[in-house]
Every structure is written in structure tokens, then in C-alpha cells.
Amino acid sequence: MEVTRDLFLSLYDSKIEMIKRNKSVVNPKTGCDDTTEVVVASNIPCGINYSNVPLLDSTGILTVARDSTLYCSDLVDIQKGDVIVINDIEYKAQLPTKYEGSHQEVIIKQKEG
């Protein structure tokens, strides 16, 4: 399986700068739960397949949505809702599909705002 994973790694031409995840922590001053964004991984080799999907909005105007697929090692912990930063652009991870021993595929959507 390592050979397969290494083969996929050799094909990747980009890097995930960081993966950020919301984590619940107790605020020591208030004793209440707060949500904070933490970096859970960084500098991860990856590949991206960009595709533009034409859509009609509610007014009938044609727009283009970018629906992209991220490829990286199956050993990387990516969860739905994680923020993935690639080339200084933030994406939101959808549900990952892992192929044990080789790679995983994650639909990513560019974060708005």
C-alpha cells in the first residue's frame, strides 16, 4: 500500500498551506464554551481538479460556480466543514472519500466573504 500512496504523492503539484478546524474550548474567564479556529495540519502535498459548473440563479441569470476536487494522502485528517487554505484561498471541505492505502478525494468549495 505504501507504494500506491507514494505513487499518488509523486503526482501532486500543489500544497495545502493549512487545514483549520473549529474547536470548542472552555473560556477560563467565563466558564462558557467558546469556539476557536485551530490549525490541525499544514504543508501537505495535494492535487486539485478545478471545474466550472454553469448555474442559473433565482433571477434566471447564468452564473458559474467553481466545484473543485482536492486529492491528497488518505492519512491526512480532513473532516467535513474544515477550512483548507491553498494558494492563499480558503475553501470549505465537503465530505471526504478515502481510498485506504492510496489517497482521498474531497469536494471543496471556495469560501465566500
Side-chain angles (χ1 to χ4, degrees), residues 60-98:
I61 296 175
L62 184 64
T63 59
V64 176
R66 180 172 264 189
D67 206 15
S68 306
T69 305
L70 170 73
Y71 301 89
C72 65
S73 169
D74 60 315
L75 300 176
V76 178
D77 178 24
I78 297 178
Q79 298 176 11
K80 183 177 180 178
D82 284 352
V83 174
I84 299 173
V85 181
I86 305 166
N87 299 326
D88 294 323
I89 300 171
E90 290 190 337
Y91 298 90
K92 194 86 156 179
Q94 307 305 303
L95 191 63
T97 303
K98 291 191 178 196

Side-chain angles (χ1 to χ4, degrees), residues 1-49:
M1 285 195 218
E2 287 298 319
V3 173
T4 304
R5 187 176 293 119
D6 290 343
L7 176 63
F8 274 92
L9 284 171
S10 71
L11 299 174
Y12 299 149
D13 59 358
S14 297
K15 288 238 187 241
I16 296 172
E17 292 165 37
M18 70 182 82
I19 300 173
K20 300 185 282 186
R21 183 173 301 146
N22 286 332
K23 184 176 181 180
S24 188
V25 294
V26 176
N27 183 324
K29 293 180 183 176
T30 65
C32 298
D33 281 348
D34 285 341
T35 301
T36 186
E37 199 171 64
V38 296
V39 174
V40 294
S42 61
N43 200 31
I44 302 162
C46 69
I48 306 169
N49 180 29

Side-chain angles (χ1 to χ4, degrees), residues 48-61:
I48 306 169
N49 180 29
Y50 296 104
S51 59
N52 294 321
V53 180
L55 298 172
L56 285 178
D57 69 10
S58 60
T59 63
I61 296 175

